[in-house]
Amino acid sequence: MATTSDPGPGEGPVRPVSVSLHEGTIAALRARTGKRGMSAYVEALIQRQLERDRLRELIEDAEAEHGPVDQTAVAAKRALLRGDAADSANVA
């Protein structure tokens, strides 16, 4: 007998839900997406926030286990990723 798991974010059937938003937020959302694009836009925002929440949890778990992140090392890696070798040499 096969077991089924709950769908993850972005998976499963689409179902309508009711949310309450400020009028100004709704107007800005409609201006950006049009009436028919609102659901897809909100879905993408929620998925992105869930990803950020999970990432924050992973960082907190890693810091609890290994200690806080070395901000100098982070700055050096960021400079390398941005292609600014001069800054990465100065930071490291």
Side-chain angles (χ1 to χ4, degrees):
M1 177 187 241
T3 60
T4 59
S5 62
D6 292 330
E11 300 175 340
V14 175
R15 295 183 1 188
V17 297
S18 176
V19 297
S20 298
L21 302 171
H22 293 279
E23 281 187 32
T25 303
I26 295 167
L29 182 59
R30 281 193 174 135
R32 182 164 299 277
T33 66
K35 186 175 181 179
R36 298 188 57 81
M38 289 175 63
S39 291
Y41 192 85
V42 172
E43 170 81 14
L45 291 173
I46 292 169
Q47 286 184 33
R48 183 170 47 230
Q49 185 61 48
L50 289 170
E51 290 170 356
R52 288 179 177 190
D53 292 347
R54 286 192 303 269
L55 181 56
R56 169 56 40 206
E57 291 165 0
L58 287 171
I59 291 169
E60 289 170 356
D61 289 346
E63 287 182 340
E65 184 175 341
H66 303 286
V69 174
D70 177 358
Q71 292 301 318
T72 303
V74 170
K77 300 289 188 222
R78 182 175 290 129
L80 284 172
L81 288 171
R82 291 182 176 163
D84 193 354
D87 278 353
S88 66
N90 294 334
V91 174

